[in-house]
């Protein structure tokens, strides 16, 4: 059964990104269809797959990470407006029967992602 998972790692602090809200969308042409919101746990992961089974099919998706709220909570020298606040990640799913793991590696001034396992 296919599924979509994620996690957030705060690479500048060397720890998971806890309490980050993620909006989940399916893209249908130019239309974004909101599917749900999830929050990362104390390990920077979601407690369950974001999407799985019949809810996870081939197509295009977007995860919108509300990283700015997390970065502000960390304190320190945070200039406003933040360089990174809301981070959208769009990606394609060719085979909904597979596991797609889409992590976010985050710091105050950079981020990266990849398809993990």
């Amino acid at each position: 059964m296919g599924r979509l998972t994620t996690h957030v790692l705060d690479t500048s602090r060397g720890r998971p990104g806890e309490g980050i809200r993620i909006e989940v969308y399916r893209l249908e042409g130019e239309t974004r269809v909101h599917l749900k919101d999830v929050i990362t746990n104390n390990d920077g992961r979601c407690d369950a797959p974001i999407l799985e089974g019949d809810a996870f099919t081939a197509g295009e998706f977007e995860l919108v990470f509300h990283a700015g709220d997390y970065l502000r909570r960390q304190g320190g020298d945070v200039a406003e407006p933040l360089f990174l606040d809301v981070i959208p990640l769009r990606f394609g799913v060719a085979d909904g029967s597979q596991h797609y793991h889409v992590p976010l590696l985050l710091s105050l001034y950079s981020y990266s992602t990849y398809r993990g396992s």
Side-chain angles (χ1 to χ4, degrees), residues 55-105:
F56 187 58
T57 59
E60 294 181 275
F61 293 87
E62 181 177 62
L63 298 178
V64 180
F65 294 83
H66 290 266
D69 296 336
Y70 165 81
L71 293 168
R72 287 182 189 94
R73 285 194 309 268
Q74 303 314 300
D77 187 19
V78 179
E80 292 288 346
L82 288 173
F83 182 70
L84 296 173
D85 191 355
V86 177
I87 301 172
L89 296 181
R90 288 189 172 188
F91 58 95
V93 171
D95 182 353
S97 70
Q98 295 184 10
H99 179 197
Y100 281 72
H101 183 67
V102 183
L104 179 71
L105 307 178

Side-chain angles (χ1 to χ4, degrees), residues 10-78:
D10 182 336
T11 57
S12 62
R13 292 176 177 85
R15 62 180 181 218
E18 179 180 1
I20 297 176
R21 181 169 67 100
I22 306 166
E23 295 175 272
V24 182
Y25 293 91
R26 181 175 184 82
L27 304 176
E28 296 177 359
E30 295 300 313
T31 303
R32 295 167 69 216
V33 177
H34 182 259
L35 301 177
K36 65 189 334 184
D37 286 11
V38 295
I39 305 284
T40 59
N41 61 24
N42 63 351
D43 194 32
R45 300 174 184 274
C46 299
D47 290 330
I50 296 171
L51 297 171
E52 64 183 329
D54 293 339
F56 187 58
T57 59
E60 294 181 275
F61 293 87
E62 181 177 62
L63 298 178
V64 180
F65 294 83
H66 290 266
D69 296 336
Y70 165 81
L71 293 168
R72 287 182 189 94
R73 285 194 309 268
Q74 303 314 300
D77 187 19
V78 179

Side-chain angles (χ1 to χ4, degrees), residues 97-114:
S97 70
Q98 295 184 10
H99 179 197
Y100 281 72
H101 183 67
V102 183
L104 179 71
L105 307 178
L106 173 67
S107 73
L108 192 56
Y109 293 102
S110 68
Y111 71 89
S112 65
T113 190
Y114 57 92

